[in-house]
């Protein structure tokens, strides 16, 4: 919800990057709601492509074939109240892209330069008007190197794995050690891939969320937003989201 002052302000492009479990999704969603901005979860696009690849038996190591798949796919985000839905060729895949199989496949799909080129283009279109909080791994370095504000969220591997565990353990048999092991593997792939590896942009503000709740992180980012835009932002709405922090994906 916007305050009157916010309507007059510049619509910023805010990039939030970091490894999984650092709190990106929760924080980006809350921040976007607070500012009346749209929220783009770029990881969901890699996940949707991975889902499509699994469904069409496209080999996960075939970059050109995966890029061709991405070229033909239509991905659209729709805001339904608090929930951000992803439609893949008109089909709501919001839940389907969260399975462990898709999580594993998305990590493999995202290493290919051809795939990244295509999805980065789509992300640039989604964010070009500003008024957007976009989260991912390379938003501040590659997708929007000129973003108005870049934040890089970090947290200890143990806390990140615990957040991920709580997210997937809901009704599913999961093992803490296995979650930590698989997350470490994906982290490595993100950090050491040739194209757009996960590194903080030089001008990113780094925030360690290990001991912070999501609303505390949002507060810190809002103070950066205030500094950069001169916007008056009310405190009440952030407080009203209390209790949603730290437990969700990110
Ligand atoms: O954030 P996430 O776990 O939903 O992301 C899914 C995968 O996509 C993950 O393996 C990293 C990759 N990804 C990426 O390479 N670049 C992005 N901007 C976002 C996600």
């Amino acid at each position: 919800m916007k305050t009157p002052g916010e309507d007059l302000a510049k619509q910023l492009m805010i990039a939030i990057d970091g490894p999984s479990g650092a709190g990106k999704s929760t924080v980006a969603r809350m921040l976007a709601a607070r500012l009346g901005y749209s929220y783009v979860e770029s990881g969901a696009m890699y996940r949707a492509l991975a889902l499509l690849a699994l469904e069409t038996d496209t080999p996960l190591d075939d970059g050109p074939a995966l890029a061709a798949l991405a070229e033909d796919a239509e991905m659209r985000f729709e805001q339904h109240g608090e929930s951000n839905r992803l439609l893949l060729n008109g089909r709501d895949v919001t839940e389907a892209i969260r399975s462990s199989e898709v999580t594993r496949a998305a990590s493999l799909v995202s290493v290919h330069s051809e795939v990244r080129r295509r999805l980065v283009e789509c992300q640039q279109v989604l964010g070009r008007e500003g008024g957007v909080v976009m989260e991912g791994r390379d938003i501040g370095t590659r997708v929007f190197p000129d973003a108005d504000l870049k934040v890089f969220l970090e947290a200890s591997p143990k806390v990140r794995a615990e957040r991920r565990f709580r997210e997937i353990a809901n009704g599913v048999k999961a093992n803490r050690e296995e979650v930590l092991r698989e997350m470490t593997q994906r982290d490595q792939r993100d950090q050491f891939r040739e194209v757009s590896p996960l590194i903080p942009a030089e001008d990113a503000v780094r925030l360690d969320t290990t001991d912070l709740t999501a609303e505390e992180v949002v507060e810190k980012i809002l103070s950066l937003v205030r500094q950069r835009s001169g916007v008056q932002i009310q405190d009440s709405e952030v407080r009203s989201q209390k209790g949603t922090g730290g437990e969700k994906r990110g």
Side-chain angles (χ1 to χ4, degrees):
M1 202 179 296
K2 286 182 200 170
T3 62
E6 284 168 69
D7 282 331
L8 303 172
K10 183 183 172 206
Q11 295 279 293
L12 305 181
M13 165 65 221
I14 303 178
I16 301 192
D17 289 301
S20 62
K24 298 189 304 289
S25 302
T26 309
V27 164
R29 192 182 312 112
M30 287 168 67
L31 185 67
R34 191 68 190 82
L35 293 166
Y37 281 13
S38 58
Y39 159 54
V40 179
E41 183 196 351
S42 65
M45 300 169 84
Y46 291 93
R47 286 174 180 270
L49 180 60
L51 175 68
L52 208 50
L54 292 171
E55 288 177 345
T56 55
D57 287 325
T58 307
L60 301 177
D61 60 358
D62 188 342
L66 291 165
L69 209 56
E71 192 73 41
D72 292 339
E74 194 226 357
M75 296 186 197
R76 196 155 39 91
F77 287 97
E78 274 185 9
Q79 210 102 22
H80 291 240
E82 293 247 309
S83 147
N84 204 31
R85 318 294 302 176
L86 177 58
L87 303 186
L88 172 64
N89 296 327
R91 172 169 61 121
D92 189 333
V93 294
T94 313
E95 274 82 33
I97 59 172
R98 299 289 152 205
S99 72
S100 355
E101 199 189 3
V102 170
T103 300
R104 223 167 288 134
S107 176
L108 296 166
V109 156
S110 67
V111 301
H112 302 290
S113 57
E114 304 90 333
V115 166
R116 300 200 71 84
R117 202 172 308 127
R118 170 72 188 138
L119 293 189
V120 164
E121 268 171 25
C122 298
Q123 291 152 13
Q124 286 171 334
V125 170
L126 289 173
R128 70 181 164 201
E129 307 290 339
V132 174
V133 180
M134 191 175 293
E135 56 103 339
R137 305 292 190 287
D138 60 342
I139 309 305
T141 51
R142 170 79 183 86
V143 184
F144 284 100
D146 296 329
D148 299 291
L149 174 62
K150 301 178 187 179
V151 178
F152 193 87
L153 298 183
E154 299 165 289
S156 75
K158 201 157 163 255
V159 163
R160 293 195 292 111
E162 184 61 28
R163 288 173 184 166
R164 168 97 187 121
F165 175 76
R166 277 196 251 155
E167 171 206 333
I168 60 175
N170 202 358
V172 180
K173 239 177 136 189
N175 169 308
R176 277 191 166 74
E177 285 71 45
E178 200 174 306
V179 169
L180 178 59
R181 196 173 50 246
E182 287 197 1
M183 197 193 74
T184 308
Q185 273 176 7
R186 290 198 305 277
D187 279 356
Q188 295 251 328
R189 218 174 278 139
D190 281 347
Q191 281 161 9
F192 297 108
R193 68 174 169 234
E194 266 178 49
V195 200
S196 303
L198 173 67
I199 40 162
E202 272 179 22
D203 50 349
V205 177
R206 295 171 77 149
L207 278 179
D208 188 326
T209 71
T210 305
D211 299 314
L212 297 177
T213 62
E215 53 271 27
E216 285 169 333
V217 179
V218 169
E219 272 302 339
K220 284 180 186 289
I221 301 177
L222 281 173
S223 68
L224 296 167
V225 172
R226 284 185 195 104
Q227 280 168 23
R228 285 172 205 217
S229 64
V231 174
Q232 293 301 313
I233 301 159
Q234 292 165 351
D235 288 340
S236 55
E237 201 177 324
V238 175
R239 289 210 193 96
S240 74
Q241 307 214 15
K242 208 163 184 145
T244 57
E247 291 146 26
K248 288 190 186 159
R249 160 174 57 82

